[in-house]
Amino acid sequence: MSKHVYIITGASSGLGAALSRLLLSEETLVFGLSRTVNREIQQLAQDLKANYQFIAADLTQVERIEATFREIIESLDSSKIETITLINNAATVTPIKPIEACLPDEIVSSIQLNLTAPILLTSSFMKETANWAAQRAIVNISSGSGQYPASSMSVYCSSKAALNMFTKCVAMEQNKEGNPVLMLTIDPGMMNTGMQQIARESDFELSAYFRKQNEEGNLAEPVTVARNILLELSRHLNSSLA
């Protein structure tokens, strides 16, 4: 049994894929949740003799989240695990348009993925690991958009702002627990991902700004950001043991 377990949403591309690749080892077990499988990660895990399990999951189908997470936890032997970390990474930047132009289904789907899914996963994580002795952590991937308003990005900005506040509230709750779950929210900055491509190719106020950042080479590569996130996580976990 692997000593360290990671559950990563949005694991098939961008930052989620970069995190998955970096975490592959014989001492880790990585669960990658996404709608589509990344065959390259599966092959890499096989080559490294690492433990990687892909779980097909559409996190906009929020009614299935609790059961999916329970299946993951029930497959584990908690007595042999030193750390377990949930990384809520999956998100969508769409719809990118004035709110009156957004369809109801677009609004609901975006909020379900960006906010409702992380909340439900966090709730399930707390319940299913409540009696574990292992160190537990949840990393919520945020965005600068959660702090700075942007025209035509009201749904995305609002969901990320709410995720920031949710993380702070749960952290306060956990401070009262004997074995608290470490709660982190991390803004990865601007990255060279599919979401950035969507933003710069969309017809809205900030698209020229996003294009300029790409043209000037100001977008970080996901693997660089992933390394920094894992270093930050490790630092906090180590400090909690001190």
Side-chain angles (χ1 to χ4, degrees):
M1 172 65 70
S2 303
K3 295 180 180 179
H4 307 286
V5 176
Y6 296 88
I7 303 164
I8 304 171
T9 68
S12 65
S13 62
L15 179 60
L19 286 164
S20 297
R21 292 188 191 95
L22 290 175
L23 287 168
L24 294 177
S25 78
E26 293 183 0
E27 288 201 340
T28 62
L29 169 55
V30 178
F31 290 94
L33 280 67
S34 60
R35 288 180 298 176
T36 58
V37 63
N38 185 315
R39 301 291 182 189
E40 183 268 332
I41 292 177
Q42 288 187 320
Q43 184 60 54
L44 180 60
Q46 185 176 330
D47 294 342
L48 295 173
K49 295 182 172 56
N51 303 301
Y52 178 80
Q53 293 188 32
F54 167 72
I55 297 175
D58 181 350
L59 295 178
T60 65
Q61 298 178 0
V62 294
E63 68 280 358
R64 299 176 61 180
I65 287 176
E66 191 170 39
T68 298
F69 194 86
R70 186 179 302 115
E71 288 177 10
I72 293 173
I73 296 301
E74 289 178 349
S75 71
L76 302 172
D77 182 351
S78 63
S79 67
K80 297 180 180 179
I81 295 171
E82 294 180 7
T83 66
I84 180 168
T85 302
L86 166 65
I87 303 178
N88 285 311
N89 165 72
T92 180
V93 71
T94 57
I96 303 179
K97 47 191 171 182
I99 194 63
E100 69 272 17
C102 298
L103 299 175
D105 286 351
E106 292 177 320
I107 296 171
V108 171
S109 180
S110 179
I111 292 174
Q112 284 176 328
L113 182 59
N114 293 349
L115 180 60
T116 308
I119 289 177
L120 290 174
L121 284 165
T122 298
S123 176
S124 293
F125 184 96
M126 300 296 184
K127 287 183 288 187
E128 298 296 336
T129 67
N131 297 319
W132 285 32
Q135 276 190 289
R136 298 173 296 155
I138 296 177
V139 180
N140 289 326
I141 303 301
S142 184
S143 167
S145 298
Q147 300 182 59
Y148 304 105
S151 175
S152 296
M153 294 182 69
S154 60
V155 178
Y156 180 69
C157 291
S158 298
S159 60
K160 286 300 184 181
L163 184 63
N164 292 344
M165 182 57 72
F166 170 75
T167 308
K168 293 176 182 178
C169 291
V170 176
M172 292 178 69
E173 296 169 1
Q174 285 300 300
N175 284 338
K176 304 172 185 176
E177 300 297 325
N179 180 26
V181 175
L182 171 66
M183 297 294 301
L184 293 178
T185 181
I186 296 178
D187 173 8
M190 291 188 293
M191 292 181 290
N192 185 20
T193 64
M195 285 181 62
Q196 277 289 327
Q197 183 176 355
I198 291 171
R200 63 178 178 263
E201 292 180 356
S202 297
D203 182 18
F204 79 117
E205 211 171 279
L206 286 178
S207 59
Y209 170 77
F210 288 123
R211 285 196 297 271
K212 183 178 180 182
Q213 299 310 305
N214 180 56
E215 292 164 359
E216 295 181 351
N218 295 329
L219 304 183
E221 290 302 319
V223 66
T224 303
V225 177
R227 286 196 187 99
N228 291 336
I229 288 172
L230 295 178
L231 285 171
E232 183 76 358
L233 172 63
S234 177
R235 184 177 68 82
H236 280 275
L237 286 173
N238 290 336
S239 66
S240 69
L241 290 174

